[in-house]
Every structure is written in C-alpha cells, then in structure tokens.
Amino acid sequence: MKVQFSADDLKENRKSSAFRSTKHIEDIDVGTAPKKLVYREDNIRLYHYSQKNIITCLTPVLIVFALVNRQYMLDLQPDKSLVRKLLQKGHDVFIIDWGYPTRADMYLTMDDYINGYFNNCVDFVRNYSSNDSINLMGICQGGTFSSIYATLYPGKICNLITLVAPFDFSTNNSLLFSWAKKVDIDILVDCHGNIPGDFLNDCFLMLMPFHLKIKKYLDLLKLVEEDDKLINFMRMEKWIFDSPSQAGECLRQFIKDLYQQNKLIRNELRVGGKDVNLKNLTMPLLNVFASADHLVPPDATKALNDHVGSKDTTLYEFHGGHIGVFVGGKSQNILTPAISAWLHERDSGNVGNQESNKDNSKSTSQVRA
Amino acid sequence: MILGDDQMEDNTGYFDTWLVSQEIVIENLRKLTEQKHSEDFSRTEREQSEDPTDNNHRYTCLEQMLEKAKKNSAENHKVITESLLKSCNGKLVYSKLYDLWKPFLTSAQECVHQGNSKIGFANLAEYKKILDRVFGFPSAHIDDSFDQLVKLVDSFFPGQEAFKSWVDLGKNYANMFPQFTGNNTASDLEFLHTMMSVYTDTFGKIFPFGSVDITQEKASSSLQGLELLTRYLLATARYQHLIYVTGQTAIDTIVTEIFETLKQGDDPGDFDTFFDHWIAKNEATFQTLFQTEEFSEIQHHMMKSYLEFKNHMSKQVELYLADYPIPVRSEMNDLYRTIYELKKRLKFLEKKINGTGK
C-alpha cells in the first residue's frame, strides 16, 4: 500500500502566491471605527466612538481592556467588530487606551491605574455625558480592574459587564495560573523595571506552543491566495505581537495579590489604602465566560457571581475560546446582541435627555494634556 | 562502543595501541590510493607515461610517500613509545585523565543508548572528588617545598619578608586548587582577595591597581558573574534536556502509532492528517509535561537564575561606568521614582484644589 504523505500545501507555487499576496499589503489597518480623542492623561487616552445611529441606550458604555494587550482587538476589522456592533445596537461607546508604559512609568501601581487613570476616565465620561453613573464593560484583566473599581466606586457605575475576566485565582485549570503562582515576581520586576511585552507574549505562546508557533503558520499557506483572509490573519498577528510592556509595580501587585494570594475573592485586597469588598458591588452584573478558554478558565470567572452584593447577576456562557469572544462569528451574531439587550433592559434614561447629551457632547469635547 | 577499564589500564599498552592504529590508518590510505589508481588507469598506461605532471605520476609519488611514512612509523614506533613513557611514566597521566572523563563519557553514552537516563554532567561534586584525586598533591609535600623555597630566598635576601607572603600565597593556591572545580565561589573569592592583598602589600606599593582601574571589587564582581552565568547555563541545560526527552517521547509514540496503522493494513491518511495528528500528539505530550511540578520547578529555576545573572551584570556594568560622567540605570530609576512621586503629589493637590478628589 502506498503511503500518501505528500506535502502538497508546501509546494513552491503556494509559497510564490504567499509572496505575491503579501507584497501589495502596505499597512495592516486595525481599529478603524471612527472615534475622537476626548481625554488624555500621561500615556492614557480616552476615545469616544462616533455614533451615526440613534442612541437607544442612554447610559454610555465605557470599555476597559486589559493592560497586557491593545484595545483595538474589539474593532479588529470592520466585519468583526464588537464596538461597531454595539454602535449599531444604539449604544454610546467610550474606550480607554492604556498606551505603552515607558521606563518612567515603572512605578505605577494598581492604585494609580484604578484610583487614578480609571477613575478620571469614568469621571470624564460622567461629565461628558451628563450622567451620574455609567455602564462599565471590562474585558479580561480589564474586567478584574472593573470589578475592583465597581466595589470602590459603586455610585458611579450603573451596570457592570465583565467578559472572560479572572476573579478567583485559586484554580489551576490553566497553565497560566499554575505558572503565575510559581513566578518570582519580585526578582522579575527588580530586574526589568517594566516587564517586557515580548516576554509576556512568549509566556502566552508557550501555553500551546505547537498550535501557536507551528500549526498556525503552516495553515496560513492554505489561505494565502485569498486576500481577505490573509489580511485578517495579519491583523490578528499584529494584535498578538503588539504587546505593551507592563508597569512593574502594578504587575507585581497583580501577580502577588491576585494570582498568588487570591485576595480579591477573599475580600482581602487593598488598593490605594482602600479595602476592596465585593459585597459593595451592588449594581446589576453580567458576567461572561468562555467555555473553552485556555487563558482564563471558566472556574476563575464564574466565581464572581457568588461573591458580589448585587441582587441582579447574570452568568453568560459563551461557547468558544478566549479570543472568540471578541472576533468570532458568535461574538458578532449572538454575544454582542445579548449584551446589548441586557443593557437596554436595565437602561433608565430617556430619549429626550439623550438627544440633548449628544448635542452637548459635541460642543464640549476637549483634549486634556 | 563503551570503552572498558582494561583497555586503558597502563600507559605502555595505550601508547602501543595508539601507534599501531596510526600505522593501520596509513596502510589503509595507501591501499585505498592503490585501488583508486587501478580503477582509473591501467598499469600499462601508467608505466608508459613519461609526463611527470599527469595523474599517473602523482599516484606514484603518493604511493611512495605513504610507503615511506609507514616504514618510518614502524621504525620509530619503539623510540616514540619509549619517549612518551619517559615523559609520563610514574604520573599515570593518561589513566588519571581517563578517570576524570570516564563518568562523563559513560553517562553520555548511556544517555545516547537509553534515551531517558539522567545525565550526570552537572555533578560537579563528583568531578571535584576526581580532580582531588588526580591533582591533589599531598599537602605536606607542598608545605615542605615552599618552606624550602622560603629558606632559599632568605639565604639570598636575609631578613626580607616581602617574598614570604607570595610563597604563602602559592602554598595556599596549591592546596586550594582542587576546590576551584567544586563550584565553591567563596573559596575562589577568598583566594582572589588574598592575592589582591598580597599584591597590594608588595608590588602594589609601587604599581597600585588603581592606576589601571582593576579594583578588588570589580574582580570579585567578575567572578561572581561567572558563577551566576554558570548556574544559569546549568539551569538551561536541565530545561533543554527535559524538553528534548519529552519531544523524543512524543515522536516515538507517533512513529509507533503510524507503524501499527501500516501493519494492520490501514490507510494512514494524507499529509494533512499526519500533520494534524503530529501537532495534537506533541501538544498533548508537552501539556502533560507543563502540568508537572518538575517542569514548573525547572522553568522557575531557569528564569530565576537568568534574572540573577542579568541583575548582577547590570550592577557590574554600573560599577565600570561609575568613573565616567554617564547616568547609570539605578540613578535614572531614582530619578523616575522622584518624578513619579512628584507627579502623584501634584495630581492629588490639583484634585484637592478643584474639589474633585473623591
């Protein structure tokens, strides 16, 4: 019997196609939904997305992404954009860009991020939209930060949505959690100051090295002749390797207090001298976890609902992986509409106020250096 | 082939074997040349050729040269053996060196044969024992020798104590030598400090180290750096070994599975099927490894040893840059901290003034 081990996909003509296809790509455009810079503080930027549709949910949504990756994942490409979908559904959307910490930012702590930048952005959105409280959507590490913020400033948050965010770090159902528990973060921070993004990225890739370092690139040969798919692949690559360094002191506390000592879920965490007690999280909560998440295991996410003081909590299971929550077809067609519906149900504003807000926001937009 | 002890027991046997093997090599080369020549040219044609630059002539020359070499080698065999024995007899140099490398070679060969045996490469304590045995001269003899030296020096320079410190240092060095391989930085540094001290008290009074900027601190730092680098390399070797062995296990499993498929007459599928299976099997095997406590420990140890080395090197660079008007990393970090604290204070006061500090 003849063994059919032929590497057709690796033939020269396919490689030539790849070179031809990539040659004309001059720039990988990401995060293209129109937006306006409305607030700036140090390296932090706050953007307000342009809304062409009628705003049907009057309370604005502030999106808070993780510090370890760039926020444009939520608007990676026009047809796979959680942000555009929210805009289509009638939401007024703001997003924080944490920027790229420089060496001068190495001493920034969780206190600086949460009680400082985060709080200032929330205050800005509240003033900008003339709302006492706003909706908060925290993603991954940004979800953890959002939950901490919501316990510290419950009066400023109307509804809290968290997506694939870790809260209970006691689980070992993810290599990331096991490894983070072992890491000597003190020497890492003392040595590097800021933790290099490349180092963190390598850690993420090491979680599934054969798929993420080999298979993905060989599979690429199958789609090189399709320009659209190729450019989408490259967008994702750009995002994956666009990893900001992490402010050393902030990451030190995040690893020690959360991954290693699990203080958040135990209500033992202190940020900037303030106790973080999840019982103070009293606003409606929508907590989304991904059933096949290899970075943040479901156990780590689901636990939040059992520990908060809110009487209106919803746990949402997304069938897919961590990244699928932002860019997959299910994200566009199922998850985002569900989030929008959840928010609309709880929205307490009215159209009249919203219209005046829109006019107001246009006239008062500002950039603060 | 694993060499047996009996093959290396005495020097005479070893040198004989070595020389005989050289002769065999020459003879084989000569035969090969002759054979090659026969294949390329007939004997008749070669005899008829008178052109000294043609190939035939070159073959003849080579043959003659090899014949001569073989003859000389045989004639010199006895002389060479005797000379080598005279040089090495009584010291058993070869045997001792063989002792030294034997554990290394054995473990390396076992590793190759068995694939999963633990390599004792990094067992420095074991090597220290061997080195002690090989080079560990009897301390009493060393002391006697150096005492004799002191007496000799005293007889030429009576009352001069300047050389005594150097002699003591030499004595110290000879006794300490085996410890240099024992991964004992403390003893290395102790010796270095003593040497620096002796130098400073003698020649250093005229030619101080400061003038060429090699301070004791810098020298110590370099030694420490070397030690930390060694520790990191050892940790890396352990890590790589673990990865390698796991990869080999995965590949063995895949090969066995495919072999079984073929044996049963089943179709193993196309390349994509094989490739997907290869990826899945490797990923699963490594995931199992990554979940183990052993891997976590080794990975953690490797990273820590790297960071300790990097940290030390940064400090060492700063040490060398201290004499130049260049701001160094730690000074910049202090500056960054000051700016950070001032900025934080400023923001706090700004909020307080604006009444927004909630």
Side-chain angles (χ1 to χ4, degrees):
Chain A
M1 184 178 61
K2 188 183 172 188
V3 181
Q4 298 171 354
F5 282 0
S6 60
D8 287 342
D9 288 336
L10 305 177
K11 280 181 179 173
E12 193 59 35
N13 61 343
R14 223 171 244 280
K15 283 190 275 181
S16 302
S17 298
F19 288 125
R20 276 200 304 277
S21 300
T22 51
K23 199 177 171 185
H24 72 272
I25 297 173
E26 291 178 357
D27 189 27
I28 313 295
D29 55 333
V30 288
T32 54
K35 60 184 182 298
K36 188 163 58 177
L37 176 66
V38 290
Y39 176 75
R40 189 169 71 194
E41 182 181 351
D42 301 334
N43 285 324
I44 316 300
R45 306 279 186 278
L46 176 67
Y47 292 99
H48 183 205
Y49 283 98
S50 306
Q51 177 57 284
K52 291 177 184 170
N53 305 304
I54 294 173
I55 294 177
T56 52
C57 186
L58 301 179
T59 313
V61 183
L62 173 62
I63 300 177
V64 184
F65 205 75
L67 274 69
V68 292
N69 281 113
R70 304 289 291 145
Q71 81 291 342
Y72 58 73
M73 164 55 100
L74 303 179
D75 182 31
L76 195 64
Q77 61 196 63
D79 60 335
K80 286 183 180 176
S81 167
L82 190 145
V83 167
R84 285 173 194 258
K85 202 75 182 178
L86 283 176
L87 293 170
Q88 278 174 25
K89 294 284 177 185
H91 295 276
D92 190 16
V93 183
F94 292 79
I95 196 166
I96 296 177
D97 173 359
W98 295 114
Y100 299 88
T102 66
R103 203 158 178 87
D105 299 317
M106 63 195 276
Y107 295 109
L108 290 174
T109 60
M110 277 174 67
D111 172 36
D112 296 308
Y113 275 103
I114 294 172
N115 291 314
Y117 300 130
F118 196 153
N119 190 33
N120 293 341
C121 287
V122 170
D123 283 345
F124 182 89
V125 176
R126 287 167 64 224
N127 291 332
Y128 192 79
S129 62
S130 303
N131 278 289
D132 285 339
S133 56
I134 61 170
N135 294 327
L136 199 56
M137 182 192 287
I139 292 155
C140 194
Q141 185 192 24
T144 314
F145 274 29
S146 295
S147 70
I148 294 169
Y149 182 84
T151 63
L152 294 174
Y153 304 93
K156 295 182 182 182
I157 306 302
C158 236
N159 300 295
L160 175 64
I161 303 158
T162 54
L163 286 88
V164 287
F167 305 106
D168 182 358
F169 294 81
S170 63
T171 179
N172 277 327
N173 288 336
S174 159
L175 274 178
L176 188 64
F177 281 57
S178 312
W179 290 353
K181 286 186 177 86
K182 285 273 179 193
V183 73
D184 187 339
I185 190 67
D186 284 332
I187 192 169
L188 194 63
V189 173
D190 293 344
C191 189
H192 284 287
N194 284 340
I195 307 305
D198 286 343
F199 169 79
L200 293 170
N201 216 1
D202 244 7
C203 292
F204 291 132
L205 295 179
M206 269 294 284
L207 298 174
M208 292 173 73
F210 284 85
H211 277 90
L212 299 177
K213 292 185 174 182
I214 302 174
K215 190 175 190 306
K216 187 174 72 174
Y217 298 105
L218 287 177
D219 285 349
L220 171 66
L221 292 172
K222 294 173 186 168
L223 52 89
V224 288
E225 286 161 335
E226 298 173 69
D227 282 359
D228 286 350
K229 287 185 179 174
L230 181 65
I231 193 88
N232 289 345
F233 177 91
M234 293 176 82
R235 283 189 181 110
M236 182 61 86
E237 285 295 287
K238 178 175 179 169
W239 177 78
I240 289 170
F241 293 99
D242 187 3
S243 308
S245 297
Q246 295 300 293
E249 290 305 323
C250 179
L251 193 67
R252 191 200 301 265
Q253 190 186 0
F254 195 76
I255 295 285
K256 277 181 137 172
D257 285 0
L258 299 177
Y259 276 101
Q260 295 177 347
Q261 297 176 39
N262 200 21
K263 285 184 176 176
L264 176 60
I265 213 79
R266 292 178 181 161
N267 291 329
E268 292 169 2
L269 184 67
R270 284 176 67 81
V271 176
K274 298 173 182 172
D275 290 326
V276 178
N277 188 339
L278 290 172
K279 293 292 173 202
N280 292 335
L281 203 154
T282 48
M283 70 289 302
L285 167 70
L286 171 61
N287 187 13
V288 179
F289 70 95
S291 53
D293 196 331
H294 77 289
L295 291 173
V296 181
D299 291 351
T301 304
K302 290 192 283 185
L304 179 68
N305 292 43
D306 300 330
H307 289 81
V308 295
S310 172
K311 289 175 182 171
D312 178 6
T313 62
T314 307
L315 189 63
Y316 186 99
E317 179 175 3
F318 176 83
H319 295 284
H322 192 81
I323 303 297
V325 169
F326 320 120
V327 291
K330 286 181 199 163
S331 167
Q332 302 299 300
N333 304 324
I334 302 171
L335 178 61
T336 315
I339 291 171
S340 175
W342 187 87
L343 278 174
H344 274 94
E345 282 170 22
R346 287 157 182 81
D347 188 35
S348 56
N350 60 70
V351 177
N353 284 342
Q354 187 276 322
E355 286 301 327
S356 69
N357 286 345
K358 255 185 95 176
D359 294 337
N360 192 33
S361 65
K362 279 178 188 169
S363 60
T364 57
S365 63
Q366 56 181 302
V367 175
R368 214 181 119 188
Chain B
M1 182 185 71
I2 299 175
L3 296 172
D5 286 353
D6 55 328
Q7 290 170 272
M8 298 296 169
E9 274 307 307
D10 64 87
N11 294 346
T12 313
Y14 167 70
F15 291 127
D16 274 344
T17 309
W18 180 66
L19 287 167
V20 167
S21 70
Q22 306 308 305
E23 286 168 19
I24 292 170
V25 169
I26 293 169
E27 175 60 14
N28 285 344
L29 190 59
R30 194 191 64 75
K31 281 182 180 168
L32 187 70
T33 310
E34 192 178 87
Q35 187 189 343
K36 179 75 179 155
H37 175 251
S38 306
E39 287 167 4
D40 290 351
F41 303 97
S42 71
R43 172 65 68 179
T44 316
E45 284 169 345
R46 187 171 52 141
E47 283 168 351
Q48 285 170 355
S49 172
E50 290 181 356
D51 182 358
T53 61
D54 73 5
N55 284 335
N56 291 342
H57 186 72
R58 276 194 223 114
Y59 273 118
T60 311
C61 289
L62 185 59
E63 267 187 27
Q64 285 173 355
M65 193 183 78
L66 290 170
E67 284 285 2
K68 183 75 177 168
K70 188 188 168 195
K71 194 178 167 193
N72 286 347
S73 173
E75 284 170 357
N76 291 336
H77 187 140
K78 196 178 168 191
V79 178
I80 294 169
T81 307
E82 282 176 3
S83 303
L84 288 170
L85 280 172
K86 270 182 192 169
S87 306
C88 305
N89 196 22
K91 294 174 188 168
L92 293 173
V93 171
Y94 179 77
S95 301
K96 286 178 176 179
L97 285 174
Y98 175 66
D99 271 354
L100 173 65
W101 288 104
K102 189 182 161 191
F104 182 89
L105 290 170
T106 308
S107 58
Q109 289 181 81
E110 280 175 356
C111 177
V112 170
H113 283 289
Q114 296 170 13
N116 58 355
S117 66
K118 289 195 174 178
I119 304 177
F121 292 174
N123 192 347
L124 291 176
E126 191 62 34
Y127 286 106
K128 181 182 175 305
K129 277 186 203 165
I130 296 163
L131 278 173
D132 281 350
R133 207 163 69 238
V134 176
F135 295 109
F137 308 112
S139 296
H141 292 181
I142 293 169
D143 288 348
D144 285 350
S145 307
F146 280 106
D147 285 344
Q148 291 294 328
L149 182 62
V150 173
K151 282 175 188 166
L152 183 68
V153 170
D154 275 348
S155 66
F156 284 101
F157 307 99
Q160 295 292 317
E161 289 292 315
F163 295 100
K164 190 172 180 304
S165 55
W166 282 101
V167 173
D168 287 345
L169 179 69
K171 224 190 284 188
N172 188 18
Y173 172 76
N175 281 324
M176 277 177 60
F177 179 72
Q179 294 175 33
F180 277 93
T181 56
N183 198 22
N184 187 344
T185 314
S187 66
D188 298 352
L189 287 174
E190 185 191 329
F191 173 73
L192 184 78
H193 293 165
T194 312
M195 191 177 81
M196 299 297 286
S197 168
V198 169
Y199 181 88
T200 309
D201 291 344
T202 55
F203 299 107
K205 288 175 180 170
I206 306 162
F207 306 107
F209 264 149
S211 61
V212 289
D213 198 36
I214 302 170
T215 62
Q216 186 165 311
E217 189 184 8
K218 285 175 184 168
S220 300
S221 175
S222 297
L223 265 183
Q224 281 175 339
L226 201 61
E227 189 210 345
L228 290 170
L229 175 63
T230 309
R231 285 185 185 174
Y232 166 60
L233 292 176
L234 286 173
T236 310
R238 285 179 70 203
Y239 178 84
Q240 288 173 341
H241 173 69
L242 197 58
I243 293 286
Y244 178 81
V245 169
T246 307
Q248 201 173 26
T249 307
I251 289 168
D252 285 349
T253 313
I254 294 163
V255 169
T256 308
E257 284 174 2
I258 290 176
F259 183 69
E260 285 300 319
T261 307
L262 291 170
K263 221 164 67 172
Q264 288 166 13
D266 295 337
D267 184 354
D270 59 8
F271 176 78
D272 283 349
T273 311
F274 164 75
F275 181 67
D276 287 346
H277 179 63
W278 183 84
I279 288 282
K281 184 60 76 175
N282 270 294
E283 200 79 275
T285 310
F286 276 93
Q287 287 293 320
T288 308
L289 170 73
F290 291 165
Q291 297 281 3
T292 61
E293 193 68 18
E294 184 191 13
F295 180 80
S296 288
E297 283 296 333
I298 287 177
Q299 188 190 42
H300 168 69
H301 183 58
M302 181 179 68
M303 196 173 87
K304 194 172 179 184
S305 59
Y306 162 70
L307 292 170
E308 282 171 350
F309 171 64
K310 187 177 184 298
N311 229 359
H312 181 81
M313 289 310 291
S314 300
K315 285 177 186 167
Q316 194 170 327
V317 168
E318 288 199 5
L319 196 62
Y320 279 87
L321 287 176
D323 298 333
Y324 302 95
I326 299 171
V328 293
R329 172 63 56 82
S330 59
E331 290 167 340
M332 287 305 294
N333 287 350
D334 284 346
L335 189 63
Y336 289 141
R337 183 180 279 281
T338 306
I339 292 170
Y340 161 76
E341 284 167 354
L342 286 172
K343 215 180 204 180
K344 194 166 182 170
R345 182 79 185 148
L346 184 68
K347 284 180 183 177
F348 172 76
L349 291 172
E350 195 178 38
K351 278 192 172 182
K352 205 172 173 184
I353 290 166
N354 294 335
T356 53
K358 297 172 201 169

